[in-house]
Amino acid sequence: MTETVLYLTRHGQTEWNLQKRMQGHQNSALTTLGKQQAEWLKERLEGENLGAIYSSSSLRAFHTAQILRGNRTLPIQQLDELMEINMGIWEGMKTEQIEQDYPLQYARFFTSPDLYVPVSLGETYEQLEQRLIPAVECILNDNPGQKLLIVTHRMTLKVIMAHFLNKSLREIGEMPDIFSTALCKVQVIDGKSYVDLLGDTSHYRGAQNQESKIGKATC
């Protein structure tokens, strides 16, 4: 029997999360809270004997991965395929302005991913899935029997978890939100996948739970 364990998380809170700006392929720095969120998750994962760490090539994900690595000597393997969905001209815009200017597209982005079409230059969810899922499968195939960590993004992580839960793109809009550094866990045993955790935030402390209200605003 071969058992591979995949831990997945979203990056810590960023400055643009606070400003309620869409990030996508653009980037903003982790906030003090974002770094603290990563520290809390680092403590939670300290006892796990990780065989490899993968990160989106976006700096906010890579910096989160650096914190999560802790004292391990593992390299962090950065992959463009793990980046957030490309949002085109929405990137850098405040969500309030996007919702006002593009109400139908904005609503579909969150609630009907199968119907979402980017306004300009961005990706559909189908395109995201096509670049993302083969990369995740490759990570699993390259590391059989290992414990692995992937640090990625909100919508990217939803698409990954929908894949392991055998959900369609349409059903992603019905899935629970995934907050900053929330933890997902998938066991792959002899080719069959079992989801143990989906967006777990039990490592959050104190008033940190208020951040979830911010996490719903931007990607």
Side-chain angles (χ1 to χ4, degrees):
M1 181 181 74
T2 301
E3 178 182 355
T4 305
V5 178
L6 186 60
Y7 291 104
L8 308 101
T9 191
R10 178 185 173 188
H11 60 79
Q13 183 198 70
T14 69
E15 296 290 349
W16 278 13
N17 287 150
L18 281 179
Q19 296 169 22
K20 298 186 178 180
R21 296 183 186 274
M22 289 293 208
Q23 294 178 110
H25 280 204
Q26 295 193 47
N27 193 67
S28 66
L30 297 181
T31 63
T32 299
L33 176 57
K35 295 173 184 176
Q36 183 63 74
Q37 291 168 334
E39 289 286 346
W40 288 333
L41 184 55
K42 180 192 78 171
E43 292 177 16
R44 180 175 181 176
L45 294 175
E46 275 180 343
E48 300 298 334
N49 183 23
L50 298 178
I53 300 174
Y54 292 84
S55 169
S56 157
S57 53
S58 293
L59 286 178
R60 62 190 184 275
F62 179 66
H63 289 166
T64 301
Q66 287 179 308
I67 295 171
L68 296 178
R69 176 170 58 181
N71 295 324
R72 300 178 182 89
T73 58
L74 293 171
I76 298 171
Q77 303 180 57
Q78 299 179 70
L79 299 178
D80 291 343
E81 291 86 351
L82 297 176
M83 291 177 72
E84 181 61 289
I85 188 170
N86 187 325
M87 300 176 194
I89 62 172
W90 286 4
E91 295 184 359
M93 289 180 62
K94 289 192 172 183
T95 55
E96 182 180 15
Q97 188 66 50
I98 296 170
E99 189 172 14
Q100 177 179 314
D101 293 349
Y102 311 100
L104 178 60
Q105 293 94 328
Y106 183 80
R108 286 179 172 176
F109 181 82
F110 291 105
T111 62
S112 303
D114 56 317
L115 301 178
Y116 168 73
V117 177
V119 177
S120 174
L121 303 177
E123 290 178 295
T124 64
Y125 277 86
E126 183 177 8
Q127 290 170 326
L128 170 61
E129 183 181 50
Q130 288 172 350
R131 71 161 158 91
L132 175 62
I133 299 306
V136 174
E137 294 294 344
C138 186
I139 288 171
L140 289 170
N141 291 335
D142 286 348
N143 300 277
Q146 299 288 317
K147 291 184 177 180
L148 312 170
L149 173 64
I150 292 178
V151 184
T152 184
H153 305 269
R154 181 187 183 191
M155 294 307 180
T156 304
L157 191 45
K158 279 194 170 188
V159 170
I160 294 173
M161 297 310 295
H163 169 72
F164 286 121
L165 290 166
N166 294 314
K167 291 183 177 293
S168 66
L169 289 179
R170 178 186 59 79
E171 293 175 294
I172 290 175
E174 303 167 3
M175 292 174 62
D177 209 349
I178 297 178
F179 303 122
S180 301
T181 75
L183 187 63
C184 299
K185 180 181 178 183
V186 179
Q187 293 185 75
V188 182
I189 302 174
D190 293 337
K192 294 185 178 181
S193 303
Y194 305 89
V195 174
D196 290 340
L197 295 173
L198 178 60
D200 185 84
T201 57
S202 59
H203 52 282
Y204 280 11
R205 299 179 190 173
Q208 154 61 19
N209 288 328
Q210 294 300 313
E211 193 274 337
S212 63
K213 297 176 183 177
I214 299 170
K216 290 185 178 180
T218 63
C219 302

PDB file of all heavy atoms in Angstrom, residues 139-170:
ATOM      1  N   ILE A 139       2.988  16.429  -9.195  1.00  0.00           N
ATOM      2  CA  ILE A 139       3.596  16.493  -7.859  1.00  0.00           C
ATOM      3  C   ILE A 139       3.371  15.179  -7.117  1.00  0.00           C
ATOM      4  O   ILE A 139       4.294  14.627  -6.502  1.00  0.00           O
ATOM      5  CB  ILE A 139       3.011  17.683  -7.072  1.00  0.00           C
ATOM      6  CG1 ILE A 139       3.530  19.006  -7.639  1.00  0.00           C
ATOM      7  CG2 ILE A 139       3.343  17.576  -5.580  1.00  0.00           C
ATOM      8  CD1 ILE A 139       2.843  20.234  -7.079  1.00  0.00           C
ATOM      9  N   LEU A 140       2.160  14.661  -7.177  1.00  0.00           N
ATOM     10  CA  LEU A 140       1.856  13.397  -6.506  1.00  0.00           C
ATOM     11  C   LEU A 140       2.635  12.239  -7.121  1.00  0.00           C
ATOM     12  O   LEU A 140       3.183  11.391  -6.403  1.00  0.00           O
ATOM     13  CB  LEU A 140       0.356  13.121  -6.582  1.00  0.00           C
ATOM     14  CG  LEU A 140      -0.538  14.030  -5.722  1.00  0.00           C
ATOM     15  CD1 LEU A 140      -1.998  13.810  -6.068  1.00  0.00           C
ATOM     16  CD2 LEU A 140      -0.307  13.781  -4.238  1.00  0.00           C
ATOM     17  N   ASN A 141       2.706  12.205  -8.429  1.00  0.00           N
ATOM     18  CA  ASN A 141       3.408  11.112  -9.109  1.00  0.00           C
ATOM     19  C   ASN A 141       4.909  11.136  -8.843  1.00  0.00           C
ATOM     20  O   ASN A 141       5.562  10.085  -8.842  1.00  0.00           O
ATOM     21  CB  ASN A 141       3.147  11.175 -10.612  1.00  0.00           C
ATOM     22  CG  ASN A 141       1.715  10.838 -10.980  1.00  0.00           C
ATOM     23  OD1 ASN A 141       1.026  10.131 -10.240  1.00  0.00           O
ATOM     24  ND2 ASN A 141       1.243  11.354 -12.105  1.00  0.00           N
ATOM     25  N   ASP A 142       5.447  12.339  -8.634  1.00  0.00           N
ATOM     26  CA  ASP A 142       6.894  12.477  -8.389  1.00  0.00           C
ATOM     27  C   ASP A 142       7.287  12.161  -6.947  1.00  0.00           C
ATOM     28  O   ASP A 142       8.485  12.028  -6.654  1.00  0.00           O
ATOM     29  CB  ASP A 142       7.354  13.896  -8.728  1.00  0.00           C
ATOM     30  CG  ASP A 142       7.417  14.158 -10.219  1.00  0.00           C
ATOM     31  OD1 ASP A 142       7.326  13.184 -10.999  1.00  0.00           O
ATOM     32  OD2 ASP A 142       7.539  15.332 -10.609  1.00  0.00           O
ATOM     33  N   ASN A 143       6.302  12.075  -6.053  1.00  0.00           N
ATOM     34  CA  ASN A 143       6.615  11.928  -4.627  1.00  0.00           C
ATOM     35  C   ASN A 143       5.765  10.851  -3.956  1.00  0.00           C
ATOM     36  O   ASN A 143       5.145  11.105  -2.917  1.00  0.00           O
ATOM     37  CB  ASN A 143       6.408  13.264  -3.905  1.00  0.00           C
ATOM     38  CG  ASN A 143       7.272  14.379  -4.433  1.00  0.00           C
ATOM     39  OD1 ASN A 143       8.429  14.517  -4.055  1.00  0.00           O
ATOM     40  ND2 ASN A 143       6.707  15.196  -5.318  1.00  0.00           N
ATOM     41  N   PRO A 144       5.721   9.642  -4.497  1.00  0.00           N
ATOM     42  CA  PRO A 144       4.865   8.604  -3.887  1.00  0.00           C
ATOM     43  C   PRO A 144       5.322   8.260  -2.476  1.00  0.00           C
ATOM     44  O   PRO A 144       6.519   8.168  -2.192  1.00  0.00           O
ATOM     45  CB  PRO A 144       5.057   7.415  -4.829  1.00  0.00           C
ATOM     46  CG  PRO A 144       6.384   7.632  -5.468  1.00  0.00           C
ATOM     47  CD  PRO A 144       6.505   9.128  -5.631  1.00  0.00           C
ATOM     48  N   GLY A 145       4.343   8.112  -1.580  1.00  0.00           N
ATOM     49  CA  GLY A 145       4.652   7.718  -0.213  1.00  0.00           C
ATOM     50  C   GLY A 145       5.187   8.824   0.662  1.00  0.00           C
ATOM     51  O   GLY A 145       5.574   8.578   1.815  1.00  0.00           O
ATOM     52  N   GLN A 146       5.183  10.074   0.176  1.00  0.00           N
ATOM     53  CA  GLN A 146       5.726  11.201   0.928  1.00  0.00           C
ATOM     54  C   GLN A 146       4.604  12.066   1.516  1.00  0.00           C
ATOM     55  O   GLN A 146       3.449  11.986   1.102  1.00  0.00           O
ATOM     56  CB  GLN A 146       6.592  12.071   0.013  1.00  0.00           C
ATOM     57  CG  GLN A 146       7.793  11.373  -0.582  1.00  0.00           C
ATOM     58  CD  GLN A 146       8.873  11.103   0.439  1.00  0.00           C
ATOM     59  OE1 GLN A 146       9.202  11.954   1.269  1.00  0.00           O
ATOM     60  NE2 GLN A 146       9.437   9.914   0.397  1.00  0.00           N
ATOM     61  N   LYS A 147       4.988  12.924   2.468  1.00  0.00           N
ATOM     62  CA  LYS A 147       4.115  13.988   2.951  1.00  0.00           C
ATOM     63  C   LYS A 147       4.557  15.271   2.249  1.00  0.00           C
ATOM     64  O   LYS A 147       5.733  15.622   2.278  1.00  0.00           O
ATOM     65  CB  LYS A 147       4.209  14.141   4.464  1.00  0.00           C
ATOM     66  CG  LYS A 147       3.607  12.978   5.235  1.00  0.00           C
ATOM     67  CD  LYS A 147       3.639  13.228   6.734  1.00  0.00           C
ATOM     68  CE  LYS A 147       2.967  12.088   7.494  1.00  0.00           C
ATOM     69  NZ  LYS A 147       2.983  12.324   8.966  1.00  0.00           N
ATOM     70  N   LEU A 148       3.604  15.953   1.617  1.00  0.00           N
ATOM     71  CA  LEU A 148       3.920  17.089   0.765  1.00  0.00           C
ATOM     72  C   LEU A 148       3.142  18.318   1.201  1.00  0.00           C
ATOM     73  O   LEU A 148       2.060  18.217   1.778  1.00  0.00           O
ATOM     74  CB  LEU A 148       3.559  16.759  -0.691  1.00  0.00           C
ATOM     75  CG  LEU A 148       4.045  15.410  -1.225  1.00  0.00           C
ATOM     76  CD1 LEU A 148       3.417  15.121  -2.572  1.00  0.00           C
ATOM     77  CD2 LEU A 148       5.562  15.395  -1.306  1.00  0.00           C
ATOM     78  N   LEU A 149       3.703  19.490   0.914  1.00  0.00           N
ATOM     79  CA  LEU A 149       3.028  20.748   1.214  1.00  0.00           C
ATOM     80  C   LEU A 149       2.964  21.602  -0.046  1.00  0.00           C
ATOM     81  O   LEU A 149       3.977  21.788  -0.725  1.00  0.00           O
ATOM     82  CB  LEU A 149       3.774  21.513   2.308  1.00  0.00           C
ATOM     83  CG  LEU A 149       3.275  22.935   2.622  1.00  0.00           C
ATOM     84  CD1 LEU A 149       1.846  22.910   3.175  1.00  0.00           C
ATOM     85  CD2 LEU A 149       4.212  23.641   3.600  1.00  0.00           C
ATOM     86  N   ILE A 150       1.761  22.114  -0.340  1.00  0.00           N
ATOM     87  CA  ILE A 150       1.562  23.048  -1.444  1.00  0.00           C
ATOM     88  C   ILE A 150       1.006  24.348  -0.880  1.00  0.00           C
ATOM     89  O   ILE A 150       0.014  24.345  -0.147  1.00  0.00           O
ATOM     90  CB  ILE A 150       0.585  22.489  -2.501  1.00  0.00           C
ATOM     91  CG1 ILE A 150       1.208  21.301  -3.236  1.00  0.00           C
ATOM     92  CG2 ILE A 150       0.185  23.569  -3.495  1.00  0.00           C
ATOM     93  CD1 ILE A 150       0.286  20.659  -4.254  1.00  0.00           C
ATOM     94  N   VAL A 151       1.649  25.463  -1.220  1.00  0.00           N
ATOM     95  CA  VAL A 151       1.170  26.787  -0.803  1.00  0.00           C
ATOM     96  C   VAL A 151       0.682  27.514  -2.047  1.00  0.00           C
ATOM     97  O   VAL A 151       1.443  27.742  -2.990  1.00  0.00           O
ATOM     98  CB  VAL A 151       2.284  27.600  -0.111  1.00  0.00           C
ATOM     99  CG1 VAL A 151       1.723  28.931   0.385  1.00  0.00           C
ATOM    100  CG2 VAL A 151       2.885  26.809   1.047  1.00  0.00           C
ATOM    101  N   THR A 152      -0.585  27.876  -2.049  1.00  0.00           N
ATOM    102  CA  THR A 152      -1.173  28.457  -3.251  1.00  0.00           C
ATOM    103  C   THR A 152      -2.157  29.565  -2.887  1.00  0.00           C
ATOM    104  O   THR A 152      -1.907  30.339  -1.969  1.00  0.00           O
ATOM    105  CB  THR A 152      -1.779  27.330  -4.127  1.00  0.00           C
ATOM    106  OG1 THR A 152      -2.271  27.892  -5.333  1.00  0.00           O
ATOM    107  CG2 THR A 152      -2.840  26.535  -3.415  1.00  0.00           C
ATOM    108  N   HIS A 153      -3.300  29.632  -3.563  1.00  0.00           N
ATOM    109  CA  HIS A 153      -4.203  30.779  -3.477  1.00  0.00           C
ATOM    110  C   HIS A 153      -5.647  30.325  -3.295  1.00  0.00           C
ATOM    111  O   HIS A 153      -5.966  29.145  -3.401  1.00  0.00           O
ATOM    112  CB  HIS A 153      -4.076  31.618  -4.744  1.00  0.00           C
ATOM    113  CG  HIS A 153      -2.679  32.043  -5.034  1.00  0.00           C
ATOM    114  ND1 HIS A 153      -2.138  33.219  -4.584  1.00  0.00           N
ATOM    115  CD2 HIS A 153      -1.681  31.409  -5.719  1.00  0.00           C
ATOM    116  CE1 HIS A 153      -0.874  33.315  -4.981  1.00  0.00           C
ATOM    117  NE2 HIS A 153      -0.580  32.229  -5.668  1.00  0.00           N
ATOM    118  N   ARG A 154      -6.492  31.292  -3.057  1.00  0.00           N
ATOM    119  CA  ARG A 154      -7.885  31.020  -2.692  1.00  0.00           C
ATOM    120  C   ARG A 154      -8.644  30.232  -3.756  1.00  0.00           C
ATOM    121  O   ARG A 154      -9.132  29.126  -3.502  1.00  0.00           O
ATOM    122  CB  ARG A 154      -8.587  32.354  -2.432  1.00  0.00           C
ATOM    123  CG  ARG A 154     -10.041  32.245  -2.018  1.00  0.00           C
ATOM    124  CD  ARG A 154     -10.643  33.629  -1.970  1.00  0.00           C
ATOM    125  NE  ARG A 154     -12.019  33.642  -1.526  1.00  0.00           N
ATOM    126  CZ  ARG A 154     -12.797  34.717  -1.607  1.00  0.00           C
ATOM    127  NH1 ARG A 154     -12.326  35.837  -2.103  1.00  0.00           N
ATOM    128  NH2 ARG A 154     -14.045  34.676  -1.188  1.00  0.00           N
ATOM    129  N   MET A 155      -8.773  30.784  -4.964  1.00  0.00           N
ATOM    130  CA  MET A 155      -9.547  30.112  -5.996  1.00  0.00           C
ATOM    131  C   MET A 155      -8.804  28.905  -6.558  1.00  0.00           C
ATOM    132  O   MET A 155      -9.421  27.889  -6.900  1.00  0.00           O
ATOM    133  CB  MET A 155      -9.916  31.094  -7.120  1.00  0.00           C
ATOM    134  CG  MET A 155     -10.857  32.189  -6.656  1.00  0.00           C
ATOM    135  SD  MET A 155     -12.339  31.499  -5.835  1.00  0.00           S
ATOM    136  CE  MET A 155     -13.225  32.991  -5.419  1.00  0.00           C
ATOM    137  N   THR A 156      -7.492  29.013  -6.625  1.00  0.00           N
ATOM    138  CA  THR A 156      -6.688  27.873  -7.059  1.00  0.00           C
ATOM    139  C   THR A 156      -6.919  26.686  -6.133  1.00  0.00           C
ATOM    140  O   THR A 156      -7.104  25.549  -6.581  1.00  0.00           O
ATOM    141  CB  THR A 156      -5.197  28.254  -7.061  1.00  0.00           C
ATOM    142  OG1 THR A 156      -5.013  29.403  -7.881  1.00  0.00           O
ATOM    143  CG2 THR A 156      -4.342  27.126  -7.590  1.00  0.00           C
ATOM    144  N   LEU A 157      -6.915  26.949  -4.849  1.00  0.00           N
ATOM    145  CA  LEU A 157      -7.106  25.882  -3.867  1.00  0.00           C
ATOM    146  C   LEU A 157      -8.519  25.310  -3.943  1.00  0.00           C
ATOM    147  O   LEU A 157      -8.725  24.099  -3.782  1.00  0.00           O
ATOM    148  CB  LEU A 157      -6.796  26.421  -2.470  1.00  0.00           C
ATOM    149  CG  LEU A 157      -6.685  25.407  -1.326  1.00  0.00           C
ATOM    150  CD1 LEU A 157      -5.854  24.208  -1.717  1.00  0.00           C
ATOM    151  CD2 LEU A 157      -6.099  26.083  -0.095  1.00  0.00           C
ATOM    152  N   LYS A 158      -9.498  26.155  -4.201  1.00  0.00           N
ATOM    153  CA  LYS A 158     -10.866  25.648  -4.363  1.00  0.00           C
ATOM    154  C   LYS A 158     -10.963  24.682  -5.541  1.00  0.00           C
ATOM    155  O   LYS A 158     -11.643  23.646  -5.464  1.00  0.00           O
ATOM    156  CB  LYS A 158     -11.849  26.808  -4.552  1.00  0.00           C
ATOM    157  CG  LYS A 158     -12.268  27.493  -3.260  1.00  0.00           C
ATOM    158  CD  LYS A 158     -13.483  28.367  -3.511  1.00  0.00           C
ATOM    159  CE  LYS A 158     -14.073  28.877  -2.211  1.00  0.00           C
ATOM    160  NZ  LYS A 158     -15.356  29.574  -2.426  1.00  0.00           N
ATOM    161  N   VAL A 159     -10.282  25.022  -6.643  1.00  0.00           N
ATOM    162  CA  VAL A 159     -10.315  24.152  -7.823  1.00  0.00           C
ATOM    163  C   VAL A 159      -9.617  22.824  -7.522  1.00  0.00           C
ATOM    164  O   VAL A 159     -10.099  21.747  -7.912  1.00  0.00           O
ATOM    165  CB  VAL A 159      -9.668  24.862  -9.031  1.00  0.00           C
ATOM    166  CG1 VAL A 159      -9.472  23.893 -10.196  1.00  0.00           C
ATOM    167  CG2 VAL A 159     -10.525  26.036  -9.471  1.00  0.00           C
ATOM    168  N   ILE A 160      -8.505  22.879  -6.805  1.00  0.00           N
ATOM    169  CA  ILE A 160      -7.800  21.650  -6.440  1.00  0.00           C
ATOM    170  C   ILE A 160      -8.686  20.765  -5.573  1.00  0.00           C
ATOM    171  O   ILE A 160      -8.821  19.561  -5.807  1.00  0.00           O
ATOM    172  CB  ILE A 160      -6.487  21.958  -5.698  1.00  0.00           C
ATOM    173  CG1 ILE A 160      -5.495  22.663  -6.621  1.00  0.00           C
ATOM    174  CG2 ILE A 160      -5.860  20.663  -5.149  1.00  0.00           C
ATOM    175  CD1 ILE A 160      -4.243  23.160  -5.914  1.00  0.00           C
ATOM    176  N   MET A 161      -9.307  21.347  -4.553  1.00  0.00           N
ATOM    177  CA  MET A 161     -10.121  20.558  -3.640  1.00  0.00           C
ATOM    178  C   MET A 161     -11.381  20.044  -4.322  1.00  0.00           C
ATOM    179  O   MET A 161     -11.846  18.939  -4.025  1.00  0.00           O
ATOM    180  CB  MET A 161     -10.456  21.369  -2.395  1.00  0.00           C
ATOM    181  CG  MET A 161      -9.224  21.764  -1.561  1.00  0.00           C
ATOM    182  SD  MET A 161      -8.107  20.380  -1.196  1.00  0.00           S
ATOM    183  CE  MET A 161      -9.169  19.371  -0.152  1.00  0.00           C
ATOM    184  N   ALA A 162     -11.931  20.823  -5.241  1.00  0.00           N
ATOM    185  CA  ALA A 162     -13.077  20.337  -6.013  1.00  0.00           C
ATOM    186  C   ALA A 162     -12.688  19.097  -6.810  1.00  0.00           C
ATOM    187  O   ALA A 162     -13.464  18.143  -6.930  1.00  0.00           O
ATOM    188  CB  ALA A 162     -13.585  21.433  -6.945  1.00  0.00           C
ATOM    189  N   HIS A 163     -11.484  19.098  -7.343  1.00  0.00           N
ATOM    190  CA  HIS A 163     -10.987  17.934  -8.087  1.00  0.00           C
ATOM    191  C   HIS A 163     -10.949  16.693  -7.192  1.00  0.00           C
ATOM    192  O   HIS A 163     -11.424  15.622  -7.587  1.00  0.00           O
ATOM    193  CB  HIS A 163      -9.593  18.250  -8.625  1.00  0.00           C
ATOM    194  CG  HIS A 163      -8.866  17.070  -9.182  1.00  0.00           C
ATOM    195  ND1 HIS A 163      -9.203  16.468 -10.376  1.00  0.00           N
ATOM    196  CD2 HIS A 163      -7.804  16.366  -8.685  1.00  0.00           C
ATOM    197  CE1 HIS A 163      -8.393  15.452 -10.594  1.00  0.00           C
ATOM    198  NE2 HIS A 163      -7.543  15.361  -9.599  1.00  0.00           N
ATOM    199  N   PHE A 164     -10.404  16.836  -5.983  1.00  0.00           N
ATOM    200  CA  PHE A 164     -10.294  15.682  -5.098  1.00  0.00           C
ATOM    201  C   PHE A 164     -11.645  15.251  -4.534  1.00  0.00           C
ATOM    202  O   PHE A 164     -11.825  14.099  -4.140  1.00  0.00           O
ATOM    203  CB  PHE A 164      -9.318  15.976  -3.962  1.00  0.00           C
ATOM    204  CG  PHE A 164      -7.877  15.963  -4.382  1.00  0.00           C
ATOM    205  CD1 PHE A 164      -7.077  17.082  -4.226  1.00  0.00           C
ATOM    206  CD2 PHE A 164      -7.310  14.829  -4.934  1.00  0.00           C
ATOM    207  CE1 PHE A 164      -5.747  17.076  -4.615  1.00  0.00           C
ATOM    208  CE2 PHE A 164      -5.980  14.803  -5.330  1.00  0.00           C
ATOM    209  CZ  PHE A 164      -5.195  15.924  -5.170  1.00  0.00           C
ATOM    210  N   LEU A 165     -12.588  16.181  -4.505  1.00  0.00           N
ATOM    211  CA  LEU A 165     -13.936  15.870  -4.026  1.00  0.00           C
ATOM    212  C   LEU A 165     -14.871  15.444  -5.162  1.00  0.00           C
ATOM    213  O   LEU A 165     -16.063  15.221  -4.934  1.00  0.00           O
ATOM    214  CB  LEU A 165     -14.527  17.087  -3.310  1.00  0.00           C
ATOM    215  CG  LEU A 165     -13.898  17.439  -1.957  1.00  0.00           C
ATOM    216  CD1 LEU A 165     -14.333  18.835  -1.516  1.00  0.00           C
ATOM    217  CD2 LEU A 165     -14.267  16.405  -0.897  1.00  0.00           C
ATOM    218  N   ASN A 166     -14.328  15.356  -6.372  1.00  0.00           N
ATOM    219  CA  ASN A 166     -15.118  14.979  -7.553  1.00  0.00           C
ATOM    220  C   ASN A 166     -16.287  15.926  -7.795  1.00  0.00           C
ATOM    221  O   ASN A 166     -17.379  15.512  -8.182  1.00  0.00           O
ATOM    222  CB  ASN A 166     -15.627  13.530  -7.425  1.00  0.00           C
ATOM    223  CG  ASN A 166     -14.491  12.525  -7.451  1.00  0.00           C
ATOM    224  OD1 ASN A 166     -13.596  12.611  -8.287  1.00  0.00           O
ATOM    225  ND2 ASN A 166     -14.536  11.582  -6.524  1.00  0.00           N
ATOM    226  N   LYS A 167     -16.032  17.217  -7.568  1.00  0.00           N
ATOM    227  CA  LYS A 167     -17.050  18.227  -7.817  1.00  0.00           C
ATOM    228  C   LYS A 167     -16.789  18.909  -9.162  1.00  0.00           C
ATOM    229  O   LYS A 167     -15.644  19.019  -9.610  1.00  0.00           O
ATOM    230  CB  LYS A 167     -17.053  19.278  -6.706  1.00  0.00           C
ATOM    231  CG  LYS A 167     -17.553  18.759  -5.363  1.00  0.00           C
ATOM    232  CD  LYS A 167     -17.590  19.866  -4.335  1.00  0.00           C
ATOM    233  CE  LYS A 167     -18.152  19.381  -3.005  1.00  0.00           C
ATOM    234  NZ  LYS A 167     -19.585  19.031  -3.100  1.00  0.00           N
ATOM    235  N   SER A 168     -17.845  19.383  -9.792  1.00  0.00           N
ATOM    236  CA  SER A 168     -17.733  20.089 -11.060  1.00  0.00           C
ATOM    237  C   SER A 168     -17.362  21.550 -10.812  1.00  0.00           C
ATOM    238  O   SER A 168     -17.444  22.047  -9.679  1.00  0.00           O
ATOM    239  CB  SER A 168     -19.058  20.033 -11.814  1.00  0.00           C
ATOM    240  OG  SER A 168     -20.056  20.768 -11.102  1.00  0.00           O
ATOM    241  N   LEU A 169     -16.976  22.249 -11.871  1.00  0.00           N
ATOM    242  CA  LEU A 169     -16.690  23.675 -11.746  1.00  0.00           C
ATOM    243  C   LEU A 169     -17.913  24.435 -11.238  1.00  0.00           C
ATOM    244  O   LEU A 169     -17.799  25.378 -10.472  1.00  0.00           O
ATOM    245  CB  LEU A 169     -16.236  24.250 -13.095  1.00  0.00           C
ATOM    246  CG  LEU A 169     -14.843  23.834 -13.583  1.00  0.00           C
ATOM    247  CD1 LEU A 169     -14.562  24.458 -14.946  1.00  0.00           C
ATOM    248  CD2 LEU A 169     -13.764  24.245 -12.583  1.00  0.00           C
ATOM    249  N   ARG A 170     -19.091  24.021 -11.669  1.00  0.00           N
ATOM    250  CA  ARG A 170     -20.319  24.676 -11.213  1.00  0.00           C
ATOM    251  C   ARG A 170     -20.459  24.598  -9.700  1.00  0.00           C
ATOM    252  O   ARG A 170     -20.890  25.559  -9.057  1.00  0.00           O
ATOM    253  CB  ARG A 170     -21.541  24.025 -11.879  1.00  0.00           C
ATOM    254  CG  ARG A 170     -22.881  24.614 -11.434  1.00  0.00           C
ATOM    255  CD  ARG A 170     -24.039  23.831 -12.011  1.00  0.00           C
ATOM    256  NE  ARG A 170     -24.019  22.439 -11.610  1.00  0.00           N
ATOM    257  CZ  ARG A 170     -24.441  22.003 -10.411  1.00  0.00           C
ATOM    258  NH1 ARG A 170     -24.914  22.856  -9.525  1.00  0.00           N
ATOM    259  NH2 ARG A 170     -24.401  20.720 -10.123  1.00  0.00           N
TER     260      ARG A 170
END
